[in-house]
Amino acid sequence: MTLSISSANLPQASEAANRANNWQGLIETYRNYLPVTDTTPVVTLLEGNTPLIPVPAIANIIGRQVKVHVKYDGLNPTGSFKDRGMTMAITKAKEAGANAVICASTGNTSAAAAAYARRAGMRAFVVIPDGYVALGKLAQALLYGAEVIAVKGNFDDALNIVRSISEKYPVTLVNSVNPYRLQGQKTAAFEIVDVMGDAPDWLCIPVGNAGNITAYWMGFNEYMQDGKSSHLPKMMGFQAAGAAPFIAGHPIPDPETIATAIRIGNPANWEKAHKVQQESYGEFNPVTDEEILDAYRLLASEEGIFCEPASAASVAGLLKVKDQVPTGANVVCVLTGNGLKDPSSAIEYSVNETYQGIEANIDAVAKVMGF
Ligand SMILES: *Cc1c(COP(=O)(O)O)cnc(C)c1O
C-alpha cells in the first residue's frame, strides 16, 4: 500500500511561515521605514528574520512569572547583528557610487563590512586592534577578501584613524557613526514586535559603541508611533566592568575585558545613548568578566544557545539586576553575536574538558563514560 499525502491534508502555512519562507532581507521587508527608493541597488545576504527564542532556565532563576526570550542575532549571515547595519551602509555607499569602504572594528564590523563590500564589488579596508580580535572574526575578514590592517592600539585608536582617513581619501566610513548603520539595525526592534505582537517590557543589551541600543530605541519608537505596539520598553544597557565609560561617567583610556566586542573606552554614540537611557527610564550597569562567563556557559549548557562572550553580557546583566524586574514582565535579551566567532574563549572557559589519550576500543571508551 502506498501512502499518499495530498496537499489538502497539510496544514495551511500561516502568514508568518509564508513570510519567513519568502524572506527577502530586511531592506525589502521594512522598505517603508528605511531611506531607500525603487532605484536603490540593494546589497543583501538576506540578513534579519532571526529567531526570538524562549530561555526557560534563565526565566526560572528570576521566577515571579517573568518571561525571557533571546533575540539570537548570531544567526545572521556573517554571525552578528552587524549585518543589519551593513546591508544598509553598503547599499547606500553603492548608490552613492563608492568604490571602497573602511571601518575600525573589534571584529564583527570587519566581517560584515568585508562580506557586503565584496558582494557589492567594492574594496574593504578594516583596521583592527592587533591581538584583540577573536579568531573567527579575523578568519572571516581575510577570507571575504578584506584588506586587514592591524594597528598597535585599541579600538578607540583605530576609530580615530579611520575617521580621519575617510575625510581625506575617497573611502566611505561604515562604522556605526555612519547613520545608515543604525537605520538597518533598528529593524531588529521591528522583528521583535512583529513576533511578540507588542514591545517587551524590558530590553537587555550589551553596550560598546552604543550604536545598537540607539538603533533599537529608534525602531521601538517608530513602531509605537505607527500603532504597532502599546508601549515602549525600558532599555537596560550592560557594559563590561573593565570597559564601562557610561558607569564611570568619562572615557576609559585602557579598557579591558574578555568580551572583546565591547572592549571600548570611548563610545562613539555617547550622547545618543544617554538620551535613550533617559527617555526609556532605563539604566546602564556593569557586569564583570566572571558574570559574563557564567551567563555564557549557562546559555550554552542549559539552553543550548552558543553566543560570543560580549553577547552574554545582556543575560549576565539581567541576572544581576533580576530583583528589579517587574513580576510577570516580558524581557528580551539581545544576543549580538554567534559563539563560533570566538572558539578560543569557548575552549578556555568551558567547565568540561576533553578526555584525552583514550585507547580506541569499546571498553576504554565505556570506562571513561562511567559504565
Ligand atoms: C558590535 C558588537 C556589540 C556592541 O554593539 P554597539 O553598537 O557597539 O554598542 C556587542 N556585541 C557584539 C557581538 C558586537 O559585535
Side-chain angles (χ1 to χ4, degrees), residues 239 244-252 265 270 274:
Q239 296 194 305
F246 289 165
I247 289 97
H250 54 77
I252 305 289
W270 190 290
H274 279 85

mmCIF file of all heavy atoms in Angstrom, residues 239 244-252 265 270 274:
data_model
loop_
_atom_site.group_PDB
_atom_site.id
_atom_site.type_symbol
_atom_site.label_atom_id
_atom_site.label_comp_id
_atom_site.label_asym_id
_atom_site.label_seq_id
_atom_site.Cartn_x
_atom_site.Cartn_y
_atom_site.Cartn_z
ATOM 1 N N GLN A 239 27.543 47.150 30.237
ATOM 2 C CA GLN A 239 28.933 47.269 29.797
ATOM 3 C C GLN A 239 29.794 46.345 30.633
ATOM 4 O O GLN A 239 29.479 46.055 31.796
ATOM 5 C CB GLN A 239 29.415 48.718 29.956
ATOM 6 C CG GLN A 239 28.653 49.696 29.063
ATOM 7 C CD GLN A 239 29.329 51.050 28.947
ATOM 8 O OE1 GLN A 239 29.599 51.698 29.937
ATOM 9 N NE2 GLN A 239 29.586 51.467 27.705
ATOM 10 N N ALA A 244 33.688 50.268 31.078
ATOM 11 C CA ALA A 244 32.359 50.792 31.393
ATOM 12 C C ALA A 244 32.348 52.314 31.522
ATOM 13 O O ALA A 244 32.054 52.867 32.584
ATOM 14 C CB ALA A 244 31.836 50.137 32.672
ATOM 15 N N PRO A 245 32.618 53.038 30.418
ATOM 16 C CA PRO A 245 32.658 54.500 30.493
ATOM 17 C C PRO A 245 31.321 55.118 30.924
ATOM 18 O O PRO A 245 31.317 56.147 31.613
ATOM 19 C CB PRO A 245 33.023 54.915 29.063
ATOM 20 C CG PRO A 245 32.726 53.727 28.213
ATOM 21 C CD PRO A 245 32.944 52.540 29.081
ATOM 22 N N PHE A 246 30.191 54.503 30.561
ATOM 23 C CA PHE A 246 28.904 55.104 30.930
ATOM 24 C C PHE A 246 28.654 55.024 32.434
ATOM 25 O O PHE A 246 27.920 55.832 32.988
ATOM 26 C CB PHE A 246 27.747 54.415 30.183
ATOM 27 C CG PHE A 246 27.711 54.734 28.714
ATOM 28 C CD1 PHE A 246 26.941 53.970 27.849
ATOM 29 C CD2 PHE A 246 28.437 55.797 28.183
ATOM 30 C CE1 PHE A 246 26.892 54.262 26.487
ATOM 31 C CE2 PHE A 246 28.406 56.087 26.829
ATOM 32 C CZ PHE A 246 27.624 55.311 25.969
ATOM 33 N N ILE A 247 29.247 54.028 33.073
ATOM 34 C CA ILE A 247 29.074 53.918 34.518
ATOM 35 C C ILE A 247 30.068 54.858 35.212
ATOM 36 O O ILE A 247 29.731 55.518 36.188
ATOM 37 C CB ILE A 247 29.222 52.450 34.986
ATOM 38 C CG1 ILE A 247 27.996 51.645 34.518
ATOM 39 C CG2 ILE A 247 29.279 52.344 36.501
ATOM 40 C CD1 ILE A 247 28.160 50.867 33.269
ATOM 41 N N ALA A 248 31.281 54.933 34.643
ATOM 42 C CA ALA A 248 32.293 55.833 35.210
ATOM 43 C C ALA A 248 31.911 57.296 34.985
ATOM 44 O O ALA A 248 32.247 58.166 35.785
ATOM 45 C CB ALA A 248 33.652 55.540 34.581
ATOM 46 N N GLY A 249 31.214 57.564 33.871
ATOM 47 C CA GLY A 249 30.858 58.940 33.548
ATOM 48 C C GLY A 249 31.932 59.657 32.747
ATOM 49 O O GLY A 249 31.858 60.859 32.521
ATOM 50 N N HIS A 250 32.951 58.934 32.325
ATOM 51 C CA HIS A 250 34.009 59.517 31.489
ATOM 52 C C HIS A 250 34.657 58.395 30.684
ATOM 53 O O HIS A 250 34.547 57.228 31.055
ATOM 54 C CB HIS A 250 35.052 60.223 32.362
ATOM 55 C CG HIS A 250 35.618 59.341 33.440
ATOM 56 N ND1 HIS A 250 36.574 58.373 33.190
ATOM 57 C CD2 HIS A 250 35.335 59.255 34.770
ATOM 58 C CE1 HIS A 250 36.861 57.744 34.322
ATOM 59 N NE2 HIS A 250 36.127 58.255 35.288
ATOM 60 N N PRO A 251 35.366 58.747 29.584
ATOM 61 C CA PRO A 251 36.020 57.714 28.782
ATOM 62 C C PRO A 251 37.057 56.943 29.599
ATOM 63 O O PRO A 251 37.655 57.491 30.522
ATOM 64 C CB PRO A 251 36.704 58.510 27.661
ATOM 65 C CG PRO A 251 35.961 59.795 27.593
ATOM 66 C CD PRO A 251 35.515 60.090 29.000
ATOM 67 N N ILE A 252 37.230 55.668 29.252
ATOM 68 C CA ILE A 252 38.205 54.803 29.925
ATOM 69 C C ILE A 252 39.403 54.647 28.974
ATOM 70 O O ILE A 252 39.230 54.110 27.877
ATOM 71 C CB ILE A 252 37.595 53.408 30.206
ATOM 72 C CG1 ILE A 252 36.293 53.519 30.995
ATOM 73 C CG2 ILE A 252 38.605 52.477 30.875
ATOM 74 C CD1 ILE A 252 36.443 53.943 32.430
ATOM 75 N N GLY A 265 36.424 52.071 25.177
ATOM 76 C CA GLY A 265 36.537 53.028 26.284
ATOM 77 C C GLY A 265 35.895 54.372 26.013
ATOM 78 O O GLY A 265 35.562 55.108 26.940
ATOM 79 N N TRP A 270 27.884 58.419 22.440
ATOM 80 C CA TRP A 270 27.771 58.761 23.869
ATOM 81 C C TRP A 270 26.469 59.512 24.177
ATOM 82 O O TRP A 270 25.672 59.097 25.010
ATOM 83 C CB TRP A 270 29.005 59.588 24.274
ATOM 84 C CG TRP A 270 29.133 59.802 25.743
ATOM 85 C CD1 TRP A 270 28.342 60.590 26.532
ATOM 86 C CD2 TRP A 270 30.107 59.195 26.609
ATOM 87 N NE1 TRP A 270 28.766 60.519 27.832
ATOM 88 C CE2 TRP A 270 29.848 59.680 27.908
ATOM 89 C CE3 TRP A 270 31.167 58.318 26.410
ATOM 90 C CZ2 TRP A 270 30.619 59.294 29.012
ATOM 91 C CZ3 TRP A 270 31.937 57.945 27.506
ATOM 92 C CH2 TRP A 270 31.656 58.430 28.789
ATOM 93 N N HIS A 274 22.788 58.237 26.109
ATOM 94 C CA HIS A 274 22.232 58.809 27.339
ATOM 95 C C HIS A 274 20.817 59.309 27.150
ATOM 96 O O HIS A 274 20.002 59.257 28.061
ATOM 97 C CB HIS A 274 23.176 59.871 27.911
ATOM 98 C CG HIS A 274 24.285 59.210 28.675
ATOM 99 N ND1 HIS A 274 25.424 58.742 28.054
ATOM 100 C CD2 HIS A 274 24.364 58.818 29.972
ATOM 101 C CE1 HIS A 274 26.179 58.131 28.953
ATOM 102 N NE2 HIS A 274 25.563 58.155 30.112
#
